Amino acid sequence: MAYSRQAKDFVAISDLHPNTTHPRVAGVIIGKTDVKSFPDRKSIGFDRFTFGFTIKDSPDYFINVSLWGNDGYINGLSNSFRIGDCVIIENPLVATKDPEKEDRFCPSTPSFYRLLVSEAHSQLSIGSDIEMMNRLLPLLHLPVKDSRDFYSLGDIVANGQSLDRTVINILAAVRSIAEPKFFTTADGRKGQRLEVKLFDDSVTSFPLVCWDREAIQLVQTLIPRETVLFISDARIGFDSFRNCMTATVNSKTIITVNPDTKEASLLFSYAKEVSESGVLHEDDRPGDVPVDSISDVYTVSQLKLKAQENPEVFCGITYSFISKLDLDTSVSKVIRSRCSKCRYQVNEEIQSCSNTACPGGDQPLTVTTGFDLLVDVTDHTGTLQSCSLNGTVAEKTLGCNPEEFVSLTEDERTAMKWKILLERCKLYIKITPSPKSRSGMRGNVLQCSLADPGEVKQNMSALQ
């Protein structure tokens, strides 16, 4: 690749040495820590502030950078860039790193050195040169460890507590991203926690916990079920409360998003296939969410707005009308048969599941038959289209089971439909982000009952 004159002025990370004078280094940020403060031993009563990041300028070379200074300088710099940005560092101090200390608390790097940036002697700026970005940005998708050196989630679960407190590499896909939870410690420090659910071809759900703001900001940009991660140096622990193994992002961890590797490509194909098949939607079953734990009330427009702002599954109550309910159509569109293993829609005449990702494999086909309806939910603020109304929830809403429904005449089905369409209902709804759907979300009715007029008036007034 031909480099511009400006690019030639940069010192490659592989060529850095403590004797390098006035070095100018460019790289893409692949990891970054939160700002921390410590009492200044030279100035009693004052704090020194610091944070660090890791930059990469070639497939094989990356280096840690430490920044020290006062509150304004350090927080100002930290807020000016994030993981994935290209940066130019001018006149950093090239220091020999202490391997024992450095590798315990910072990402392990192939360099013998680290860069120190100070307000008095160094400058740091965002790189916006197109040629530089084209050269550096692809490096974001190259893991910092051997792409074959990782544990599958199944390996972690199988090894169990023997991996407790170890640091390992993980290759997995993102299943879901929860909302961050904020808290204040006993000594007044503010903190945050976010949990990501991972999956691969061996485990359908595995927790990855993030405590640092930088890690949380990174994972909040990811698209569930369409993103694969290579997580280097994740800390493994046993959660005694949940009785399961977990992974935690720490100061050594580097997360590579959608790695450009054969192993990641295979997992991405699997994730796409299994997501489209519906296997991961088993959590949408009504029994998974107790309705008595749901208390937040929304209008339809508020449900839509929250789904746009929040990439995580959430539940709520809405007092609305079912405005579309096709009961007087073909019975095959009201009642469907699904594979009992993966809930993929099947034709019983074939006697096998056509889902290649079905966990039932070559086992004999077993099916469940039930209501499988799509309904529109409407109030004075708008309409939520194509919400799922299935199984026992549909039976309770309609007042009959599939066998009884099949025996009804067409006029009886039409009468049942209009009886429901004319009534305001209290609906418990589960909202799941779905980037591929037209609305960007999927609604699943967890419970539907006639609404009490007094309850409706009270709650709707509160929403004004």
Side-chain angles (χ1 to χ4, degrees), residues 59 130 137 167 181 229 249 254 284 309 320 349 369 424:
I130 297 299
L137 290 180
V167 174
K181 299 183 184 298
L229 304 178
V249 175
I254 297 289
D284 292 340
E309 297 176 342
S320 303
E349 296 178 1
T369 300
R424 185 185 288 272

Side-chain angles (χ1 to χ4, degrees), residues 284 303-304 306-308 310 312-316 384 387 429-434 440-444 446:
D284 292 340
L303 286 171
K304 290 181 175 181
K306 182 167 183 176
Q308 292 172 356
N310 171 28
E312 178 58 20
V313 175
F314 70 94
C315 299
L384 198 58
C387 295
I429 291 187
K430 182 176 181 179
I431 301 295
T432 304
S434 179
M441 57 187 282
R442 290 186 297 108
N444 186 34
L446 306 180

Side-chain angles (χ1 to χ4, degrees), residues 96-107:
T96 301
K97 71 180 183 183
D98 179 347
E100 183 176 342
K101 182 179 179 182
E102 181 97 3
D103 290 343
R104 278 184 62 194
F105 303 107
C106 301

Side-chain angles (χ1 to χ4, degrees), residues 86-98:
C86 298
V87 293
I88 299 170
I89 308 172
E90 302 199 46
N91 200 35
L93 175 66
V94 183
T96 301
K97 71 180 183 183
D98 179 347

Side-chain angles (χ1 to χ4, degrees), residues 305-351:
L305 181 61
K306 182 167 183 176
Q308 292 172 356
E309 297 176 342
N310 171 28
E312 178 58 20
V313 175
F314 70 94
C315 299
I317 300 169
T318 181
Y319 295 91
S320 303
F321 295 90
I322 293 180
S323 55
K324 181 180 179 183
L325 179 64
D326 293 332
L327 297 180
D328 43 6
T329 184
S330 168
V331 172
S332 63
K333 295 182 179 180
V334 178
I335 298 171
R336 302 180 193 271
S337 295
R338 294 184 178 274
C339 171
S340 59
K341 300 289 185 181
C342 68
R343 301 184 72 241
Y344 199 73
Q345 187 176 339
V346 298
N347 183 338
E348 292 187 65
E349 296 178 1
I350 301 177
Q351 288 302 306

Side-chain angles (χ1 to χ4, degrees), residues 126-179:
I126 299 294
S128 57
D129 179 75
I130 297 299
E131 184 179 352
M132 177 197 300
M133 295 173 67
N134 288 340
R135 176 171 62 91
L136 294 176
L137 290 180
L139 302 176
L140 284 170
H141 303 289
L142 299 180
V144 297
K145 299 291 184 73
D146 186 331
S147 64
R148 297 161 297 180
D149 177 19
F150 64 86
Y151 279 72
S152 71
L153 300 180
D155 292 336
I156 299 173
V157 173
N159 281 277
Q161 294 188 50
S162 65
L163 289 176
D164 191 29
R165 300 185 182 182
T166 61
V167 174
I168 64 172
N169 307 323
I170 301 170
L171 180 70
V174 176
R175 174 169 178 155
S176 64
I177 304 168
E179 292 187 60

